[in-house]
Amino acid sequence: MPKTLVIAEKPSVGKDLSRVLPGPFQKHTGTQDKTERWLEGPEHIVTWAVGHLVQLADPDEYDEKYKKWRMADLPIVPKTFKLVVRDERSQKQMAVVKKLLRDDDVDLVVNACDAGREGELIFAYLFEQAKAKKPVKRLWLSSMTNDAMREALANLRDSEETAKLEQAARSRSEADWIVGMNATRAATIRLRSSFDGAVSLGRVQTPTLAIIARRDEEIRAFVPEDYWLVDATFATADGRRYEGRYQDLTKKSDKPRIASAELAQAVVDAVSGQSGSITKLTKTEQKTIPPLLYDLTSLQRDANTRHGFSARRTLAAAQRCYEEHKALTYPRTNSKYLTTDMVPELKDIVGHVGRHDEYSAAAAYVSSLDLLPLERVVNNEKVGDHHAIIPTNSPHKLEKMSSDDRRIYDMVVRRFLAIFHPEAVFENTKIETTVFEHQFRTSGKVLIVPGWRGVYGEIPEGDKTSAEEDEGRDQSLPKLEQGEAVDTKKVESAAKQTKPPRRYTDASLLGAMEGAGKLVDDEELREAMTETGIGTPATRAAIIERLIDVGYTERDGRALVATEKGLNVIRLLDNHPLTSPSLTGDWEHRLAAIEGGTETRKKFMEDIAKFAGETVGVLDTTLKDVRIPRANLGPCPVCGHDIIENRKGYSCWAREDPGCGFVIWKGKAGKQLPPAIARELIATGVTAKQVTGFKGRSGRSFRAKLALQQSEDGKWRVEFDEAWAKEGAKPPEGEDETTPPAAGAVTASGAAKEAIAAVAKESGDKKGTEAA
């Protein structure tokens, strides 16, 4: 009997589909291991791609000469792109998929990869690599309810309906390969005397680096200015007290900053011990609506702000909650909405989470509603590949979750319950107190109706800007009346300085990447980026980690700081289009036109080849004679000669002067030690704090203190200054996935990698970018 082969993007989706297809299904494992590879029923065979099994081949697959990086060979623009299976793990699953595609019993193939551009690409590459010829139908699915899956399976689309989407997907992938590959090679060739390893460039990572680097340049150029604030404590006749901050009414800005210590002291002297009155008191009601459901980016931003999680750490936890615990829905989504077919399940989901004590009260309220408020929750038009992240309609075993998984689960559950609660209502009080002609302002805020905030209890309002901090804190105020007389009990001035812009954290950088369209001047291109920004929700975490891996950025606590290498790359590129999000805007605009049939793939790719050639020419010219000065770390502790940075380390020897041979090698357990760490080791012999980002043999990271030690033969070495190292034990592994960074931990930049294939796929490869 002929069978239909269904190819999903991941095992979990394949297994979900098997629930609604005619069964029973028999599990099949690979011949070399016990990994489940496919399911077979009476009418269907279900297997999966496990993300991108197939990728574009590296240049040396086209010609052996490309193994050497030479400017004369650029630009590299294949007439026809070659495909290769990604890695050993992918080889095993690909062998199964290829075998099933060639099975004589299979007469129809269903593309059940994710509904979107990248899902189309995953299947197209897989199908092409397998040299399959069988007819294909498209399953278009954005909701995983049983009813939605049954309806989609009953209404399979002809492959011709998504042919233009496939063209756009291939165009995006090949364009990223052409631009990333050629720009990286050109920059690396011209800067090899200045930088160790590849100078990795790409359409997504380079504008992201530019965002960080330009903020760091602003901070470096920032010149603080002194100012003063004056605070007073007032009391009524019967002892009710409150605080006020002086406002300089002579300035148009109406801000509390005073320009000099003398002027501030004059205010203090004028009002000290004097009487005044409450000249204005207003009370207003403020209502706040619950936040929308989580998409991946908003979840990552919130987890970074609340728990200090990196974007990658949040994604890993959300993925475990989805795949292992079956407690959360698919996390790699850019939608904050649900589809109409999910409405019947919502109260069942509330019932599941309400079985846990910490959510029972909030869940009971939602369950008691006759009609759920769905206006802001359900919107089919705003659900693309996947709906918002919510709890699943199944029992959730919280005791089996790790600390990270539990925190991410908690955030999603509370956000899900909160959106069905009413507005929170605050009473805001504003007071103006006048002593002679001097005016002081006071603000107070009281929560009257908890509404959705009751789901969270006390939650922080978020970081305030410097200007908001100047306005003073919200107080819990006593009962006060306009016109009341008050006495000035205490008054003092405080010296302050203006602060530079804040460095980017994972949270703020994710927001900048998501909203990068705001940085684009052209209205059409800005509109094209409305739904995308830089990268995708699935790839942004990987982009941040790649910038760290190639040595462009490092972590300082929660802050992301551009290294000298990263700053120099952006400085040298100047305002090249690669540094601007407008390049992504242009591509998205044209890719959408390819999907809509108003632009041809051929014309787009011709323009990409032209752009790559122009970029190579610009980099060849502008970087040809660039020599970036190496860091001077001061005198050698042995011979007194200057220790100078070179490509491999920091040493006192050079061609002109051999020095004494003292050297600190940069490479240490998969990390490149930056000048700051070497300088500290030379000065004190040890690092005061742990350095993060070393890699164990398994590839997982750890942190450790370092010490500079001299061996019996007189050679100097950098060793781990930890108890486990002295005992000859293995380093602790995987801490970056389970615990937040130690306070004040120092991050050393990663060794630069020639990750060319990863560069090419940086903006769209859901699985590949994580592995890169």
Side-chain angles (χ1 to χ4, degrees):
M1 176 180 175
K3 292 189 176 183
T4 297
L5 174 62
V6 180
I7 301 178
E9 188 167 315
K10 55 192 76 67
S12 57
V13 175
K15 292 169 187 176
D16 286 342
L17 288 169
S18 70
R19 291 200 319 261
V20 298
L21 290 168
F25 279 83
Q26 182 181 355
K27 297 178 182 178
H28 292 269
T29 58
T31 55
Q32 299 175 350
D33 55 34
K34 298 298 181 183
T35 304
E36 198 172 332
R37 300 291 182 184
W38 79 95
L39 306 170
E40 187 160 1
E43 301 175 27
H44 297 81
I45 301 171
V46 180
T47 190
W48 36 83
V50 196
H52 282 260
L53 295 179
V54 179
Q55 65 185 20
L56 295 175
D58 287 343
D60 56 3
E61 295 282 342
Y62 297 88
D63 194 318
E64 282 285 317
K65 71 178 182 180
Y66 293 141
K67 285 186 176 180
K68 292 184 178 180
W69 291 24
R70 294 177 298 199
M71 194 65 76
D73 293 331
L74 303 181
I76 303 169
V77 182
K79 290 183 179 178
T80 304
F81 279 84
K82 294 182 179 181
L83 299 172
V84 294
V85 179
R86 178 182 296 281
D87 51 31
E88 185 180 347
R89 178 189 174 208
S90 300
Q91 287 278 8
K92 293 176 182 178
Q93 185 64 17
M94 186 62 195
V96 169
V97 174
K98 188 183 292 187
K99 170 181 168 291
L100 295 173
L101 280 167
R102 294 175 178 179
D103 191 325
D104 291 337
D105 288 340
V106 172
D107 67 347
L108 177 67
V109 181
V110 173
N111 172 7
C113 292
D114 289 353
R117 190 191 292 164
E118 289 310 307
E120 204 67 26
L121 186 68
I122 287 171
F123 180 84
Y125 280 177
L126 176 155
F127 198 74
E128 179 182 330
Q129 180 69 6
K131 295 181 171 59
K133 302 295 182 185
K134 293 181 178 177
V136 176
K137 292 280 189 178
R138 183 63 160 107
L139 177 74
W140 198 261
L141 192 64
S142 57
S143 173
M144 294 305 294
T145 65
N146 288 348
D147 287 345
M149 286 190 288
R150 289 191 186 98
E151 183 179 352
L153 286 163
N155 295 280
L156 296 173
R157 300 182 180 185
D158 291 332
S159 57
E160 290 78 15
E161 291 183 42
T162 55
K164 287 187 172 62
L165 184 64
E166 180 189 326
Q167 289 180 17
R170 286 180 180 269
S171 300
R172 194 283 308 156
S173 178
E174 293 170 9
D176 272 331
W177 190 99
I178 292 170
V179 172
M181 191 75 65
N182 286 290
T184 294
R185 289 197 170 206
T188 302
I189 292 165
R190 284 293 171 242
L191 295 174
R192 58 172 42 128
S193 63
S194 298
F195 295 134
D196 185 32
V199 180
S200 182
L201 302 178
R203 176 179 62 92
V204 175
Q205 66 169 311
T206 304
T208 304
L209 172 61
I211 290 172
I212 300 172
R214 286 165 182 161
R215 172 61 58 84
D216 283 3
E217 295 281 24
E218 287 180 44
I219 293 170
R220 290 188 179 199
F222 181 80
V223 178
E225 295 179 3
D226 295 328
Y227 68 95
W228 284 259
L229 299 174
V230 174
D231 290 323
T233 300
F234 301 105
T236 61
D238 57 2
R240 286 167 286 138
R241 289 181 174 240
Y242 64 97
E243 297 171 2
R245 176 158 289 171
Y246 173 74
Q247 306 291 313
D248 187 352
L249 300 181
T250 63
K251 296 191 305 182
K252 292 182 180 179
S253 62
D254 196 27
K255 294 295 181 185
R257 295 181 180 181
I258 301 173
S260 70
E262 292 76 20
L263 289 173
Q265 189 59 45
V267 175
V268 171
D269 294 341
V271 303
S272 192
Q274 299 299 316
S275 297
S277 65
I278 298 174
T279 49
K280 189 176 182 180
L281 189 152
T282 59
K283 291 183 178 181
T284 57
E285 195 177 83
Q286 176 192 1
K287 297 180 179 180
T288 63
I289 59 176
L292 294 172
L293 297 170
Y294 280 123
D295 63 1
L296 178 58
T297 300
S298 59
L299 178 64
Q300 288 171 319
R301 294 182 66 185
D302 241 10
N304 182 252
T305 301
R306 295 187 184 192
H307 304 306
F309 285 12
S310 68
R312 179 177 65 177
R313 186 173 168 189
T314 298
L315 176 56
Q319 196 71 23
R320 289 191 295 271
C321 287
Y322 166 65
E323 291 184 349
E324 296 176 20
H325 308 302
K326 313 295 183 187
L328 297 182
T329 58
Y330 183 71
R332 299 163 186 267
T333 176
N334 62 355
S335 176
K336 298 179 180 181
Y337 300 88
L338 305 178
T339 51
T340 51
D341 63 292
M342 300 177 70
V343 172
E345 291 190 6
L346 294 179
K347 281 202 173 182
D348 292 336
I349 297 171
V350 171
H352 286 300
V353 299
R355 293 190 178 96
H356 304 286
D357 291 343
E358 55 266 63
Y359 311 121
S360 58
Y365 169 80
V366 178
S367 296
S368 70
L369 297 173
D370 293 331
L371 291 173
L372 295 177
L374 299 174
E375 313 82 46
R376 298 177 63 243
V377 183
V378 176
N379 189 329
N380 290 351
E381 297 299 317
K382 293 188 177 182
V383 177
D385 299 7
H386 300 280
H387 58 70
I389 307 170
I390 63 170
T392 56
N393 187 11
S394 61
H396 306 148
K397 298 179 181 178
L398 308 192
E399 66 279 1
K400 293 189 175 182
M401 295 182 184
S402 68
S403 172
D404 276 19
D405 301 353
R406 184 70 182 81
R407 286 179 175 182
I408 296 302
Y409 173 83
D410 179 78
M411 289 175 63
V412 173
V413 168
R414 292 188 190 278
R415 179 68 68 98
F416 172 72
L417 293 172
I419 202 166
F420 300 116
H421 278 66
E423 300 167 324
V425 182
F426 294 89
E427 181 183 75
N428 290 324
T429 303
K430 300 290 183 185
I431 297 172
E432 290 182 3
T433 304
T434 304
V435 182
F436 297 124
E437 74 277 15
H438 301 296
Q439 189 180 96
F440 293 78
R441 289 184 181 171
T442 304
S443 62
K445 193 173 190 177
V446 178
L447 181 62
I448 301 173
V449 179
W452 66 270
R453 287 192 178 265
V455 178
Y456 290 86
E458 285 297 320
I459 60 174
E461 290 292 322
D463 292 338
K464 289 186 175 183
T465 65
S466 296
E468 289 171 333
E469 288 171 355
D470 287 348
E471 297 300 322
R473 64 184 182 89
D474 283 324
Q475 302 170 45
S476 179
L477 296 170
K479 184 175 176 59
L480 298 166
E481 299 291 341
Q482 185 167 323
E484 270 195 280
V486 294
D487 292 322
T488 308
K489 294 297 183 182
K490 180 182 177 184
V491 61
E492 58 186 5
S493 67
K496 302 283 185 179
Q497 274 194 331
T498 54
K499 296 178 182 178
R502 285 196 173 108
R503 294 193 187 278
Y504 281 105
T505 62
D506 280 59
S508 57
L509 182 58
L510 287 167
M513 294 172 77
E514 184 179 42
K518 296 174 184 176
L519 305 174
V520 176
D521 294 329
D522 186 278
E523 189 173 346
E524 270 193 309
L525 304 189
R526 189 165 60 245
E527 182 65 26
M529 294 183 71
T530 302
E531 301 296 327
T532 57
I534 298 176
T536 67
T539 62
R540 286 177 189 135
I543 293 299
I544 294 172
E545 296 304 323
R546 184 179 304 143
L547 291 176
I548 294 171
D549 285 343
V550 298
Y552 289 161
T553 63
E554 57 189 25
R555 294 189 189 278
D556 182 3
R558 294 189 185 185
L560 292 163
V561 184
T563 63
E564 282 302 317
K565 180 178 181 180
L567 288 168
N568 281 324
V569 166
I570 297 304
R571 288 168 185 156
L572 291 169
L573 289 173
D574 198 17
N575 289 315
H576 189 277
L578 271 176
T579 67
S580 171
S582 62
L583 181 63
T584 286
D586 178 52
W587 285 24
E588 287 299 332
H589 180 66
R590 297 186 67 180
L591 290 171
I594 293 172
E595 289 178 25
T598 57
E599 177 159 357
T600 65
R601 167 166 151 74
K602 182 180 180 221
K603 178 65 170 65
F604 175 75
M605 295 309 301
E606 285 173 351
D607 288 347
I608 291 298
K610 181 181 177 184
F611 175 75
E614 291 170 348
T615 298
V616 167
V618 169
L619 296 178
D620 184 20
T621 302
T622 58
L623 305 182
K624 196 165 191 175
D625 298 315
V626 168
R627 296 292 181 270
I628 297 175
R630 297 292 188 174
N632 186 324
L633 277 60
C636 171
V638 180
C639 68
H641 286 84
D642 279 356
I643 294 176
I644 305 296
E645 177 187 8
N646 56 54
R647 289 180 65 186
K648 299 295 183 182
Y650 307 94
S651 66
C652 62
W653 48 266
R655 289 178 183 175
E656 307 80 30
D657 189 343
C660 70
F662 175 89
V663 62
I664 294 177
W665 300 110
K666 287 182 179 178
K668 181 70 176 175
K671 295 298 294 183
Q672 295 281 291
L673 301 182
I677 299 298
R679 192 175 279 114
E680 184 180 12
L681 287 170
I682 293 166
T684 65
V686 295
T687 57
K689 298 173 183 176
Q690 289 182 321
V691 178
T692 66
F694 296 111
K695 300 286 183 182
R697 289 186 178 180
S698 67
R700 298 178 71 184
S701 63
F702 65 94
R703 61 173 67 91
K705 290 184 179 180
L706 298 175
L708 185 62
Q709 300 175 358
Q710 190 174 22
S711 61
E712 292 180 0
D713 60 2
K715 292 184 178 180
W716 293 85
R717 293 177 59 85
V718 176
E719 303 287 357
F720 292 120
D721 191 27
E722 299 285 352
W724 53 261
K726 295 168 184 175
E727 295 167 3
K730 292 181 180 179
E733 293 190 341
E735 59 186 10
D736 59 330
E737 296 299 330
T738 56
T739 58
V746 181
T747 304
S749 61
K753 300 176 182 177
E754 296 179 357
I756 303 306
V759 171
K761 292 181 290 299
E762 64 177 354
S763 69
D765 184 340
K766 299 179 182 180
K767 299 297 186 291
T769 47
E770 293 168 52

